[in-house]
């Protein structure tokens, strides 16, 4: 064990290489090609900034329609994918499966071309060219080229892929004039583009997403030969390619649109923030605050990964960035290599659940759920927060079990001084937040049209002041040292980088207060970061009196360019992932396989609701294996989120659409942890020099709290702040959820004050269930909802709070003609007359006597997303029943917890484990 704990981790340089190989491309070509790649990535970032900025509309120049912007976005992604990611790494061992696959595919396509020619069918030329490209793909997959050069065949593939992806931009007018009537050139571009997109996906992300997308594409054509449950009429090659490549229903659909409009800017924001030095600052702050506690480095890893995850779109990059500093420190304080890596995995994966970015899934939820971005953040915040607090507690329990200590402080302070300092810091932040919110709001009211410039001047002044304070701290910008032997003082450490928080303030202000679009909010935050990168070095030189301002300015320009390029390289994987996931979305739209998934889960679960949720969770885990966060969410949201809503409605359980999407998102994310394919676990094992399977199993055990939370908020939607209308109710919800998840952590770790006995673990799980879902007992005494006549729907809709939900019982007929009654939870917007709010939610009603019929359902509306159909009847409106609050059950649960804790305290005093 000693050897395990003292074995060195990888160095920051090795970590950078690991991230580069896994995330941004393993190739390192010569200087001329490197310059070309640099300029291409830089152009991509500048293009994305241009299309999101207000400038094209202000100048009346360079306005690019959304579909054409998606085409250019994908062209950049696939071009860089073929240049930077080799078909096969020199270090790869084992059979050349990809080469064999492409060889068989190419010959099969030529055979198909011959057969189609004999039958005088169209598209023979397309099949011949696709076969030739498939054989060309087999060559680099078979013959490994050095990473220092790019083979000629990859240049040819990169240019062909970029042309095929950019086809919608280059020939948009011609395509608009002949919709549904593709010509030979259209089919060539679509066929070659589809083939090269799948290969780019394999190179960048591994075979998992390529295989899944390929299976769905094959399903499009093979429908007539499928078993009865999966059968459909099938599609011709022309129809499938038109849908998948030449329209906005497949590859160039919503997912790629979100990647183009929102995700790129947020990934760029994270890359620039990291380049400015914020990543190291977050790690130093977390370590200075928590490094001296029991298991302090592990607690610092949790907090640092949470802060990094706020702006990061990749759990793997998060693992490697923070892990190179925290993992060696965890091992030095007594954690085994596997446990140190597992803590890093659990905290980094949780970073993908933490708003405001959530691994880019937050922006996709806006499109799929149909609610404002701010609402997505509100619903996702509380579960992510308590999951992080629970992980801190798990780390504390591990340290207690092993008797571990933290590192010594640089300067010892009394506990009351530390608590006083923490309290003053927290209160100071609250006061500052209040001043910012109300102060800037007052300025907007008073200054009117001049408020923008006045607020900008105030933020600029705050930047100068905070940078001046940072310059007064010695070594403020130093990189975290994994060989550190004592914990630095928190005060100077925090002071040394407060200006890094200003771009985050600008981002949150624009999103939450100004209610700007996510893309425009990220644009202003990125613009502010550009200013920081250009000025922080010259200004620091001025404040410190060092001179050499020109050298400092040049260094800032270089850092800005590197940050823009790094942001683009980070987007290659997300760009090809969202495009490949669009194949799956297009297939679902063409074949109706979404209904098949509902029938399959219902058949396997036998109608049991809990079994249905478990099956859905397992399917999400399987679908998410080996996939990046964004593609993962697109797939599980397309296939499994409707399943949860439909089957919940049939079982009289009201599941809000956002709860279903968060449920599948959480389990999709867990695929990053789960062996044998958990990518984050493999990255952490490499950092910790540990066994990847053991690391993954330990990380999954630490993540049981994350596995539990989706089940909790499906049955207790107050955890998503749905139906929470007062501060008292918010406090009760937060207290119950936090206490419940901590008790659950103690039960799963078999340790509260000393090691649990079996009966204590059972009681702790019972207490956790009661605290997390208090309605589980009250609902058995009295139902939570009562039905009122449907004719009162307008009045009740008007009384629903802003952004609240209206619960309806709706009766209609299924495809077999059977009458089906289901319950739906319809989200309503801002306060307005009841009928107006219902219309805004997409529901048109016709009241005839005591009957309420749905006259229309607007396409793309919240009502349509919930599966409500026109012609159905609203049989009742469901309102909360008059009954005692379920939270009364907290009292016996806490008494039971006190009994267990008291029993363990007596054992601890007697020295009994």
């Amino acid at each position: 064990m000693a050897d395990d704990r003292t074995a060195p981790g990888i160095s920051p340089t090795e970590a950078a290489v690991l991230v580069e190989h896994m995330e941004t491309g393993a190739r390192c070509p010569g200087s001329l090609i490197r310059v070309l790649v640099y300029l291409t990535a830089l152009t991509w970032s500048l293009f994305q900034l241009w299309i999101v900025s207000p400038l094209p509309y202000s100048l009346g120049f360079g306005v690019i329609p959304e579909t054409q912007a998606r085409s250019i976005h994908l062209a950049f992604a696939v071009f860089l994918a073929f240049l930077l990611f080799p078909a096969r790494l020199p270090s790869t061992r084992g059979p050349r499966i990809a080469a064999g696959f492409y060889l068989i595919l190419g010959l099969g396509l030529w055979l198909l071309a011959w057969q189609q020619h004999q039958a005088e069918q169209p598209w023979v030329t397309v099949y011949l060219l696709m076969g030739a490209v498939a054989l060309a793909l087999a060559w680099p997959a078979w013959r490994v080229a050095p990473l220092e050069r790019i083979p000629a065949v990859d240049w040819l593939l990169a240019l062909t892929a970029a042309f095929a992806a950019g086809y919608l931009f280059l020939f948009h007018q011609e395509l608009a004039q002949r919709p549904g009537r593709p010509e030979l050139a259209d089919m060539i571009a679509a066929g070659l583009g589809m083939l090269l997109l799948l290969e780019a996906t394999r190179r960048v992300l591994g075979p998992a997403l390529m295989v899944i997308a390929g299976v769905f594409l094959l399903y499009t054509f093979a429908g007539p030969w499928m078993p009865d449950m999966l059968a459909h009429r099938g599609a011709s090659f022309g129809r499938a390619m038109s849908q998948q490549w030449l329209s906005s229903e497949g590859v160039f659909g919503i997912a790629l649109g979100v990647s183009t409009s929102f995700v790129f800017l947020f990934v760029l924001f994270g890359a620039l923030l990291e380049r400015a030095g914020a990543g190291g600052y977050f790690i130093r702050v977390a370590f200075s605050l928590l490094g001296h506690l029991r298991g302090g480095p592990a607690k610092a890893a949790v907090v640092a990964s949470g802060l990094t995850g706020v702006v990061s779109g990749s759990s793997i990059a998060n693992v490697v960035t923070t892990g190179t500093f925290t993992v060696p420190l965890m091992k030095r304080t007594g954690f085994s290599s596997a446990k140190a890596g597992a803590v890093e995995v659990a905290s980094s994966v949780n970073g993908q659940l933490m708003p405001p970015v959530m691994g880019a899934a937050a922006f996709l939820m806006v499109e799929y759920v149909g609610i404002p971005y701010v609402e997505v953040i509100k619903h996702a915040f509380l579960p992510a927060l308590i999951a992080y607090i629970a992980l801190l507690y798990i780390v504390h329990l591990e340290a207690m079990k092993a008797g571990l200590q933290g590192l010594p402080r640089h300067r010892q302070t009394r506990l009351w001084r530390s608590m006083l300092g923490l309290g003053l810091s927290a209160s100071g932040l609250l006061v500052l937040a209040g001043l910012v919110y109300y102060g800037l709001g007052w300025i907007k009211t008073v200054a009117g049209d001049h408020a923008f410039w006045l607020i900008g001047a105030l933020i600029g002044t705050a930047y100068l002041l905070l940078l001046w304070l940072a310059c007064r701290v010695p070594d403020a910008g130093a990189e975290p040292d994994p060989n550190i032997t004592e914990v630095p003082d928190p005060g100077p450490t925090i002071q040394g980088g407060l200006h890094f928080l200003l771009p985050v303030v600008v981002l949150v202000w624009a999103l939450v207060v100004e209610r700007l679009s996510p893309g425009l909010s990220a644009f202003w935050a990125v613009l502010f970061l550009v200013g920081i990168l250009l000025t922080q070095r010259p200004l620091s030189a001025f404040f410190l009196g060092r001179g050499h301002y020109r050298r400092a300015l040049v260094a800032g320009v270089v850092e800005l360019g590197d940050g823009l390029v790094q942001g683009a390289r980070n987007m290659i994987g997300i760009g090809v992932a969202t495009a490949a996931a669009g194949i799956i979305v297009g297939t679902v739209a063409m074949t109706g396989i979404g209904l098949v998934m509902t029938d399959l889960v219902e058949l396997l679960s036998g109608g049991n609701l809990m079994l249905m949720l478990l099956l859905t969770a397992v399917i999400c885990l399987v679908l998410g294996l080996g996939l990046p966060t964004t593609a993962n969410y697109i797939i599980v949201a397309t296939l499994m989120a409707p399943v949860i809503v439909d089957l919940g409605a049939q079982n009289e359980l009201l599941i809000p659409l956002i709860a279903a999407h968060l449920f599948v998102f959480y389990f999709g994310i867990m695929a990053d942890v789960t062996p044998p394919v958990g990518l984050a676990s493999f990255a952490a094992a490499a950092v910790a020099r540990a066994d990847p399977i053991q690391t993954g199993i330990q990380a999954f055990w630490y993540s049981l709290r994350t596995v539990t939370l989706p089940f909790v908020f499906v049955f207790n939607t107050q955890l998503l702040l749905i139906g929470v209308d007062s501060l008292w109710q918010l406090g009760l919800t937060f207290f119950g959820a936090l206490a419940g998840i901590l008790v659950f952590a103690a039960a799963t770790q078999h340790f509260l004050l000393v090691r649990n006995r079996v009966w204590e673990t059972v009681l702790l799980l019972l207490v956790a269930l009661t605290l997390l879902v208090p309605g589980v007992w009250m609902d058995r005494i009295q139902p939570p909802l009562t039905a009122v006549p449907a004719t009162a729907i307008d009045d009740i809709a008007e009384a629903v709070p802003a952004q609240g939900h209206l619960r309806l019982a709706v009766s209609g007929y299924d495809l077999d003609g059977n009458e089906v009654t289901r319950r739906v939870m319809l989200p309503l917007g801002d306060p307005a007359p009841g009928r107006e709010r219902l219309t805004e939610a997409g529901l048109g009603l016709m009241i005839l006597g005591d009957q309420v019929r749905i006259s229309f359902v607007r396409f793309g509306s919240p009502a349509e997303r919930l599966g409500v159909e026109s012609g159905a009847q609203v049989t009742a409106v469901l309102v909360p029943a008059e009954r005692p609050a379920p939270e009364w059950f907290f009292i016996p649960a806490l008494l039971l917890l006190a009994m267990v804790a008291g029993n363990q305290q007596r054992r601890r005093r007697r020295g009994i484990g």
Side-chain angles (χ1 to χ4, degrees), residues 387-746:
Y388 259 112
I389 296 174
L391 184 56
L392 281 171
Y393 182 57
I394 287 172
V395 167
H396 180 72
L397 292 178
E398 284 283 10
M400 287 182 66
K401 283 193 283 187
L404 307 181
Q405 299 297 325
L407 294 176
R409 272 197 179 281
H410 174 66
R411 184 172 55 201
Q412 294 297 327
T413 56
R414 293 181 179 274
L415 177 62
W416 68 270
R417 285 181 180 273
S418 300
M419 296 303 294
L420 180 62
L422 184 62
L424 289 174
S425 299
S427 58
L429 286 174
L430 289 173
V431 170
L432 179 62
L435 287 174
V436 168
Y437 184 87
Y438 294 106
L440 293 185
W442 176 79
I443 290 172
K444 285 183 64 179
T445 304
V446 172
D449 294 338
H450 303 290
F452 176 84
W453 302 105
L454 189 56
I455 291 172
L458 285 173
I459 293 174
T461 304
Y463 166 59
L464 291 174
L465 177 62
L466 293 175
L467 186 59
W468 175 76
L469 287 172
C471 289
R472 296 173 64 87
V473 177
D475 300 323
E479 286 296 316
D481 180 11
N483 299 314
I484 195 169
T485 56
E486 57 183 14
V487 179
D489 294 334
T493 306
I494 294 171
Q495 181 184 328
L498 284 171
H499 59 289
F500 293 130
L501 300 180
L502 286 176
V504 181
V505 170
V506 170
L507 176 64
V508 174
W509 170 268
L511 284 169
V512 177
V513 180
E514 295 291 341
R515 297 292 179 106
L516 300 179
S517 70
L520 194 55
S521 300
F523 169 77
W524 291 116
V526 166
L527 207 62
F528 188 75
L529 259 175
V530 168
I532 288 180
L533 280 163
L534 289 176
T535 61
Q536 71 172 347
R537 284 183 178 273
L539 286 173
S540 297
F542 173 74
F543 290 141
L544 294 169
R546 291 176 178 168
H548 304 293
Y549 302 124
R550 181 178 298 178
R551 186 187 305 169
L553 179 61
V554 170
V557 172
V558 171
E559 284 184 341
L560 173 60
D562 290 345
L564 291 170
V565 169
Q566 189 62 40
R569 292 185 65 159
N570 290 347
M571 269 303 298
I572 297 171
I574 296 176
V576 297
T578 50
I583 297 173
I584 296 160
V585 176
T587 302
V588 170
M590 288 179 69
T591 63
I593 193 175
L595 297 174
V596 173
M597 295 302 294
T598 303
D599 293 340
L600 180 63
V601 172
E602 185 176 20
L603 177 68
L604 294 175
S605 65
N608 182 285
L609 185 61
M610 183 56 71
L611 191 55
M612 177 268 292
L613 290 173
L614 285 170
L615 277 170
T616 305
V618 171
I619 293 171
C620 290
L621 277 173
V622 172
L623 288 173
L625 290 175
L627 299 185
T629 304
T630 315
N632 187 331
Y633 170 69
I634 295 167
I635 294 170
V636 296
T638 303
L639 291 175
M640 302 312 301
V643 174
I644 294 179
V645 175
D646 288 346
L647 295 182
Q650 292 175 24
N651 285 272
E652 298 190 349
L653 176 66
L654 289 166
I655 302 177
L657 194 56
I658 184 65
H661 278 260
L662 284 172
F663 183 96
V664 298
F665 175 57
Y666 267 57
F667 279 102
I669 287 296
M670 286 307 298
D672 262 359
V673 178
T674 313
V677 194
L679 298 179
S681 295
F682 274 83
V687 172
R689 309 288 193 193
D691 176 70
I693 301 299
Q694 187 182 355
T695 303
I697 293 171
Q698 188 67 56
F700 187 82
W701 193 253
Y702 288 155
S703 299
L704 283 177
R705 75 211 186 287
T706 311
V707 172
T708 304
L709 281 172
F711 290 96
V712 172
F713 57 63
V714 161
F715 290 100
N716 179 16
T717 55
Q718 286 188 336
L719 190 58
L720 303 179
L721 302 183
I722 294 174
V724 176
D725 304 322
S726 65
L727 285 175
W728 170 250
Q729 200 169 14
L730 174 63
L732 270 181
T733 301
F734 177 70
F735 166 77
L738 179 59
I741 205 69
L742 294 182
V743 172
F744 178 81

Side-chain angles (χ1 to χ4, degrees), residues 172-179 181:
H172 62 278
Q173 290 185 342
E174 292 82 351
L175 289 169
Q177 290 170 2
R178 43 183 165 79
R181 293 181 288 111

